[in-house]
Amino acid sequence: MEQFKGQPRLPKFASPKRYDIRLKPDLATCKFSGSVAIDLDIVSKTKFIVLNAADLSIQNETVSFTHKAFSSYLRPAPGRTSPVLGSAPSSSSTILSLFPSAVLNYLWQWWQRLWTWFFSFPTLERFRTKVFEPCKVDLVGEDEILVLEFPETLPTGIGVLAIDFDGILNDEMKGFYRSTYEHNGEKKNMAVTQFEPVDARRCFPCWDEPACKATFKISLDVPADLVALSNMPTVDEKVEGHVKTVFYQESPIMSTYLVAVVVGLFDYVEDHTSDGVKVRVYCQVGKQNQGKFALNVAVKTLEFYREYFAVPYSLSKLDMIAIPDFAYDAMENYGLVTYRETALLYDEQHSAAANKQRVSIVVTHELAHQWFGNLVTMEWWTHLWLNEGVATWVSYLATDRLFPEWESWTQFLQESVEGLRLDELAESHPIEVEINPAGEIGEIFNAISYRKGASVIRMLQSYLGAECFQRSLAAYIKRHACSNAKTEDLWTALEEGSGEPVNKLMNSWTKQKGYPVVSVKINDNKLEFEQSQFLLSGSHGDGQWIVPIIFCCGSYDACQSFLLETKSASIDLEENEAWIKVNVDQTGFYRVKYDEDLQAELRYAIETKMLSATDRFGILDDSFALCMARQQSLTSLLTLMAAYGEELDYTVLSNLISISYKIARIAADATPELVDSIRHFFIILFQHSAEKLGWEAKEGESHLDAMLRGQILTALAKFGDEPTLREASRRFHAFLNDRSTPLLSPDIRKAAYVAVMQTVNASNRSGFESLLRVYEETDLSQEKTRILESLASCPDPNIFLEVLGFILFSEDRSQDAVFGLAVCWEGRETAWNWLKENWEYIAKTWGSGVLIRRFVSSIVSPFASFEKAREVEDFFATRSQSSIARTLKQSIERVNINAHWVQSIQNEENIAETVDELLYG
């Protein structure tokens, strides 16, 4: 048995073909029992069967393997579901060569039929089967495997492995777990599954790897008054007293992580696609109207994907369900997609425009997985990005089709930036990353797999062309449907469809970490390009990429493009060129560093509104990253930001706000004497857009303006703008008296809440207590999230400590605690001491899931001193665990980067003069 321990993957001598699963959850005791019968193909002789199981009690006496005699002759051939008896004899053999091949095939078919008929008689059962009982049943907890050892060698061929087991409906939001809800004032439990990445093994013993695809026949024993859902439609239901048994259709072939079960009390809304797929949105009783927007998005999205992928949705129904306790945004289970409430439900009266957009992006993302992930599945977690990167990109494609006025591809730049900001760390990882222990898998569900993955797909689509890319993608899906794929399989399909060397082009982007910065300058009427790896630490990396360069000179009418395949290249220029913009529309996943003259020309082009929103965004973000990496001064960055004084684009301003927050933080460490002046500069910078938008929504205004208003007012509140703070307070108090007042619409509530918390302190607690009261009274998850994020913005350390205590010990949803970790500069030390004091409890409560990484990154990353980096390392030296190892290293690296940035700013000579000039001109 020792040879099976410590292995990243299961041995290959048995392959599951079909699961017959029966589960009986007890919602009162929060336990469940179950049985599974797995059709196995023993492909090589062995005395062992090794599969995954964790947190289950195996009933050893029920474990058996029933071998079906002669099954090796009746094993289905590849691509077939009906058995064939081995293979027809070859006519090349000595004696058989005397007979024509047609005669041989005819005789062989009759021999198969006779063989199958003979052993179909019940009296021959004992000849057809043999039962093997294991001599040892070992559940290896550390490796999450179940090792069955048999006293004799198991013969090859098809057999059935039977196991009965018991488990706990845990409260960890993974495996088979319990969530709670209220109905008629009574707290109730529901049973929910969350199996990705490796938690199906916590519900039933299985081959819990993506490549081990099988079909699933599921039945549930549940209270008769509850709704019981699974991947497939119900085929039968039998009621005996207070219990009903629900039987579901057998599923198509799929991976274990996509199996799903939900049991509880729900309402739903329903619609159908034009080709007859039944679509439902399930939610808590009384909230069904909040599911209508998501339902509409889902129906239209399924129809769009059917057209785009040239392959129809493969099931007859699609259920989407809102789960009160849910660790992720959503999970793409085949035919039963589970969501956090904030990602599926939209309330016309109390949800903000940003909530509406989020529902659309998440729904379109999860439905993209029904093709990319479910129909075609990654072979191993190394290729996770094939699921998540493609689905992220496709979600913007679909949202842009449904809501073109949202300018989704401009907003997509926010996704790209998240990928860039993780990939500029030395502790980043390649898109295709080797994964060994199961504990590491959760840490690659990050901005590399999702955002960088989506960004390189967009870059490749831009290079190959939209139509060619679509045709190739459809061919890839058809070729690998109902099977598994690797990254190379996608490149092959795109290479065949385009004639371009896609594999060569893309390997530099997926097999190595990081990305390039392309330095651009003019020398003797030549535009010179030079690439090098960009690292935020300022270190020199040795990466080199094949970079698709698109640039324009003075006008978008004459763009030029080429592949930068070497370290440097140059292009001849005509005389008297105006501004030059490289990486037009930001379709490339790289940064651009301009020399001073080119940068000055671009700053003028921004001021005179000659550049597109995407390019204004890119110039700003590249400049900020170069400043953090100490390749550009803060003085230069602030001067560039001043050119955005009349900016009105949502995506550009959203990024400008985000950058201003970070500069204000670092200035507080580097030049505390200038903090007030820098904050005042930012208030002036946002005044133009604030005056244009005002506090009240205007008739017929755009979705983007509705989202921008809240962000601008929130920024002004955080920077201490007195008129904003006063008006926010007035509107907040009107809201306290009347929750339906038009004075505080959902789009500006967070701004008002943040403004209130700016003035809260130990002697003025009324705003804090009022917000807590609103939190307790509302049952809208989106409103609770807004309040938690606002509470954390309080600059008073004592109040902030109370906020941390509230999120830690609140009886509300544990998944929401991370929203209260948006640590302000004044609260950093308070948060760090709180984390150390409560680490044991935090690790126990959140340590087995995705959320604990947010505790580490949110609290550690804002620091900016080498001493603090060492202190964090020392603290976690004896407390780290595999599930946070990568996140911890990245967070400590960010602290060191901030510390270097502080030193760089302190060495700048003219910051005070520059700030004065920007303020007073």
Side-chain angles (χ1 to χ4, degrees):
M1 188 183 80
E2 292 300 315
Q3 68 265 37
F4 305 121
K5 293 182 178 180
Q7 299 299 314
R9 300 180 72 165
L10 295 170
K12 304 296 185 185
F13 40 64
S15 174
K17 301 300 178 186
R18 179 182 186 271
Y19 290 81
D20 193 332
I21 303 168
R22 185 161 186 164
L23 297 171
K24 185 177 182 179
D26 186 327
L27 298 178
T29 63
C30 295
K31 297 179 180 179
F32 67 93
S33 58
S35 63
V36 63
I38 309 171
D39 289 5
L40 281 185
D41 187 0
I42 305 296
V43 296
S44 60
K45 291 184 178 180
T46 176
K47 285 188 174 182
F48 295 93
I49 293 178
V50 183
L51 64 162
N52 293 114
D55 301 335
L56 297 174
S57 297
I58 304 298
Q59 298 179 19
N60 293 4
E61 68 281 1
T62 69
V63 181
S64 66
F65 178 74
T66 303
H67 176 68
K68 297 179 180 179
F70 312 107
S71 60
S72 58
Y73 296 96
L74 295 168
R75 185 180 300 141
R80 295 184 56 168
T81 56
S82 58
V84 294
L85 190 57
S87 59
S90 170
S91 60
S92 63
S93 56
T94 307
I95 299 176
L96 294 178
S97 63
L98 300 174
F99 297 90
S101 59
V103 173
L104 285 174
N105 285 332
Y106 179 78
L107 292 173
W108 187 250
Q109 290 172 16
W110 274 102
W111 171 243
Q112 287 180 297
R113 294 171 186 169
L114 178 63
W115 190 275
T116 305
W117 170 79
F118 180 73
F119 284 100
S120 66
F121 287 100
T123 54
L124 295 175
E125 175 71 23
R126 62 192 182 93
F127 297 105
R128 293 205 309 273
T129 63
K130 180 177 179 180
V131 179
F132 296 82
E133 295 183 352
C135 56
K136 287 185 181 178
V137 178
D138 288 309
L139 192 59
V140 185
E142 184 176 346
D143 294 303
E144 299 183 345
I145 58 173
L146 176 63
V147 181
L148 308 177
E149 183 178 353
F150 294 86
E152 55 184 307
T153 300
L154 302 177
T156 58
I158 302 294
V160 178
L161 175 65
I163 305 173
D164 289 358
F165 51 90
D166 300 290
I168 301 294
L169 291 173
N170 67 72
D171 59 357
E172 298 173 359
M173 292 182 285
K174 68 178 185 177
F176 201 14
Y177 73 93
R178 65 182 183 268
S179 178
T180 60
Y181 62 103
E182 280 195 10
H183 180 62
N184 294 333
E186 181 182 354
K187 190 174 182 179
K188 293 180 176 289
N189 291 324
M190 65 174 70
V192 185
T193 55
Q194 169 58 42
F195 290 162
E196 191 181 31
V198 288
D199 293 314
R201 63 192 68 178
R202 287 175 168 77
C203 182
F204 57 94
C206 58
W207 275 255
D208 205 9
E209 297 181 359
C212 297
K213 285 190 163 187
T215 62
F216 293 82
K217 186 78 172 71
I218 295 174
S219 56
L220 300 175
D221 296 319
V222 300
D225 60 334
L226 298 185
V227 175
L229 302 173
S230 189
N231 305 85
M232 302 301 292
T234 302
V235 292
D236 194 14
E237 191 174 295
K238 296 179 179 177
V239 180
E240 292 187 14
H242 297 293
V243 176
K244 64 181 177 183
T245 302
V246 186
F247 302 88
Y248 302 91
Q249 282 181 18
E250 188 163 336
S251 77
I253 187 171
M254 65 182 186
S255 304
T256 49
Y257 77 87
L258 295 169
V259 176
V261 167
V262 179
V263 180
L265 198 59
F266 304 103
D267 276 341
Y268 67 86
V269 288
E270 178 184 311
D271 200 353
H272 292 78
T273 63
S274 59
D275 59 343
V277 177
K278 182 193 294 182
V279 184
R280 287 180 174 178
V281 174
Y282 285 86
C283 54
Q284 291 185 54
V285 174
K287 292 187 176 183
Q288 63 267 36
N289 285 338
Q290 296 178 28
K292 289 181 178 179
F293 175 71
L295 179 66
N296 182 52
V297 169
V299 169
K300 291 179 179 178
T301 299
L302 287 178
E303 295 183 340
F304 170 63
Y305 288 161
R306 182 183 69 211
E307 169 195 334
Y308 188 82
F309 297 133
V311 174
Y313 175 65
S314 54
L315 303 183
S316 62
K317 67 95 172 174
L318 172 71
D319 293 332
M320 306 194 301
I321 185 165
I323 305 299
D325 299 280
F326 203 75
Y328 299 88
D329 275 346
M331 175 61 211
E332 66 266 22
N333 314 299
Y334 224 159
L336 177 56
V337 185
T338 44
Y339 294 80
R340 186 181 285 210
E341 286 191 334
T342 53
L344 185 65
L345 304 183
Y346 174 75
D347 186 299
E348 290 284 351
Q349 185 177 356
H350 296 292
S351 296
N355 300 131
K356 187 176 190 177
Q357 181 171 298
R358 181 171 180 237
V359 168
S360 178
I361 290 292
V362 176
V363 169
T364 52
H365 179 106
E366 300 310 318
L367 299 197
H369 278 310
Q370 305 302 304
W371 284 262
F372 271 89
N374 300 8
L375 188 61
V376 182
T377 311
M378 71 218 158
E379 189 275 337
W380 181 243
W381 300 104
T382 295
H383 308 282
L384 172 67
W385 86 280
L386 283 178
N387 283 19
E388 302 301 349
V390 176
T392 300
W393 174 79
V394 170
S395 69
Y396 279 82
L397 190 73
T399 298
D400 188 56
R401 168 70 73 93
L402 299 182
F403 307 102
E405 69 277 10
W406 291 3
E407 300 177 10
S408 296
W409 287 117
T410 304
Q411 291 195 61
F412 179 82
L413 296 180
Q414 296 172 324
E415 300 278 358
S416 291
V417 161
E418 289 301 311
L420 289 165
R421 287 183 180 155
L422 180 53
D423 211 26
E424 60 203 11
L425 299 180
E427 290 294 343
S428 180
H429 63 80
I431 285 178
E432 295 181 73
V433 58
E434 287 301 319
I435 292 295
N436 289 315
E440 292 181 358
I441 296 173
E443 283 210 285
I444 66 167
F445 282 79
N446 60 18
I448 300 298
S449 299
Y450 286 73
R451 276 76 179 252
K452 182 181 180 180
S455 299
V456 298
I457 286 291
R458 180 172 181 252
M459 179 170 67
L460 183 58
Q461 186 223 24
S462 176
Y463 177 72
L464 298 179
E467 290 186 13
C468 169
F469 191 85
Q470 179 180 356
R471 287 195 310 272
S472 303
L473 214 56
Y476 164 82
I477 292 174
K478 288 176 183 175
R479 181 179 300 171
H480 298 284
C482 301
S483 63
N484 296 85
K486 298 181 179 180
T487 300
E488 302 82 60
D489 297 318
L490 178 59
W491 297 158
T492 298
L494 290 165
E495 201 162 282
E496 290 172 356
S498 67
E500 295 283 347
V502 174
N503 199 64
K504 176 186 174 184
L505 171 64
M506 297 309 295
N507 278 345
S508 66
W509 295 97
T510 64
K511 293 187 181 297
Q512 65 177 336
K513 66 183 178 181
Y515 63 85
V517 55
V518 177
S519 298
V520 185
K521 64 181 179 180
I522 296 178
N523 188 16
D524 293 333
N525 288 330
K526 289 182 180 292
L527 188 60
E528 296 183 346
F529 300 83
E530 183 176 355
Q531 66 159 299
S532 59
Q533 184 172 353
F534 181 76
L535 288 168
L536 209 55
S537 64
S539 303
H540 296 285
D542 55 5
Q544 185 167 310
W545 289 260
I546 300 177
V547 187
I549 301 287
I550 304 175
F551 69 97
C552 60
C553 304
S555 168
Y556 288 105
D557 295 332
C559 288
Q560 300 181 56
S561 63
F562 70 97
L563 286 179
L564 180 61
E565 300 187 55
T566 55
K567 186 172 178 61
S568 61
S570 62
I571 301 286
D572 290 332
L573 286 177
E574 297 179 8
E575 293 285 348
N576 300 320
E577 295 286 3
W579 53 267
I580 295 173
K581 173 64 176 67
V582 179
N583 195 13
V584 172
D585 285 336
Q586 299 301 114
T587 57
F589 192 77
Y590 57 91
R591 296 199 183 278
V592 182
K593 181 181 180 181
Y594 301 93
D595 68 16
E596 289 187 8
D597 291 338
L598 291 174
Q599 191 175 35
E601 292 286 355
L602 285 172
R603 188 164 59 245
Y604 177 73
I606 292 168
E607 290 172 340
T608 54
K609 301 178 175 59
M610 300 175 72
L611 298 179
S612 67
T614 51
D615 286 332
R616 298 196 303 275
F617 180 104
I619 292 165
L620 172 65
D621 202 73
D622 288 350
S623 183
F624 170 66
L626 290 165
C627 182
M628 276 196 79
R630 310 187 311 283
Q631 295 185 37
Q632 186 175 305
S633 67
L634 180 59
T635 298
S636 174
L637 176 59
L638 291 171
T639 302
L640 175 66
M641 292 175 75
Y644 291 80
E646 295 186 3
E647 184 62 61
L648 291 173
D649 181 82
Y650 165 77
T651 307
V652 178
L653 272 170
S654 182
N655 197 34
L656 191 67
I657 291 168
S658 175
I659 289 170
S660 69
Y661 290 155
K662 292 169 184 173
I663 292 174
R665 276 175 174 271
I666 208 70
D669 285 306
T671 57
E673 70 280 3
L674 293 178
V675 169
D676 289 341
S677 295
I678 289 174
R679 285 172 172 256
H680 188 47
F681 165 63
F682 290 144
I683 289 172
I684 294 172
L685 189 61
F686 299 128
Q687 281 295 341
H688 175 72
S689 53
E691 290 170 3
K692 285 278 186 181
L693 293 167
W695 283 85
E696 303 285 349
K698 297 173 178 60
E699 186 175 352
E701 75 173 7
S702 72
H703 165 83
L704 296 175
D705 280 350
M707 291 203 300
L708 181 57
R709 177 179 292 105
Q711 288 203 27
I712 289 289
L713 293 173
T714 299
L716 291 174
K718 285 187 175 182
F719 290 132
D721 181 51
E722 284 296 335
T724 301
L725 294 175
R726 287 195 300 271
E727 181 62 15
S729 177
R730 183 182 77 83
R731 290 172 180 266
F732 177 67
H733 284 93
F735 174 72
L736 291 179
N737 294 325
D738 176 11
R739 297 291 195 272
S740 300
T741 178
L743 288 176
L744 202 63
S745 69
D747 291 314
I748 61 172
R749 280 184 199 167
K750 183 179 177 181
Y753 299 163
V754 167
V756 166
M757 291 304 296
Q758 300 310 297
T759 59
V760 166
N761 53 47
S763 59
N764 178 24
R765 298 173 50 88
S766 61
F768 176 43
E769 291 166 354
S770 295
L771 269 177
L772 288 180
R773 191 161 61 250
V774 175
Y775 181 91
E776 296 296 340
E777 291 173 359
T778 185
D779 67 345
L780 188 70
S781 298
Q782 292 159 350
E783 180 76 343
K784 287 181 180 290
T785 299
R786 276 195 289 266
I787 295 170
L788 285 175
E789 290 173 340
S790 305
L791 292 176
S793 69
C794 182
D796 186 286
N798 294 319
I799 296 295
F800 183 55
L801 186 60
E802 284 191 55
V803 172
L804 293 171
F806 174 73
I807 66 170
L808 193 63
F809 300 110
S810 170
E811 294 183 3
D812 228 309
R813 312 291 176 190
S814 63
Q815 83 247 9
D816 293 339
V818 294
F819 295 119
L821 299 176
V823 183
C824 60
W825 184 86
E826 295 87 350
R828 290 181 307 181
E829 199 64 41
T830 300
W832 170 237
N833 290 330
W834 170 85
L835 183 73
K836 290 188 293 183
E837 292 169 8
N838 294 281
W839 179 251
E840 187 175 338
Y841 177 81
I842 291 168
K844 180 181 178 181
T845 305
W846 288 276
S848 60
V850 64
L851 297 173
I852 192 170
R853 296 194 286 275
R854 292 278 294 276
F855 280 87
V856 175
S857 61
S858 297
I859 291 176
V860 172
S861 297
F863 284 108
S865 74
F866 301 115
E867 295 77 15
K868 187 60 68 175
R870 288 191 291 271
E871 182 184 334
V872 171
E873 281 187 289
D874 291 344
F875 176 79
F876 281 107
T878 57
R879 295 173 176 86
S880 187
Q881 53 200 60
S882 62
S883 62
I884 65 167
R886 194 186 299 271
T887 301
L888 180 60
K889 289 178 181 178
Q890 291 166 350
S891 300
I892 292 172
E893 183 181 355
R894 290 190 188 281
V895 176
N896 284 316
I897 288 167
N898 289 340
H900 281 296
W901 193 16
V902 165
Q903 288 182 340
S904 174
I905 293 170
Q906 289 172 338
N907 291 330
E908 287 189 40
E909 295 180 354
N910 301 314
I911 295 181
E913 292 84 347
T914 299
V915 173
D916 281 345
E917 185 176 341
L918 292 172
L919 281 174
Y920 307 115

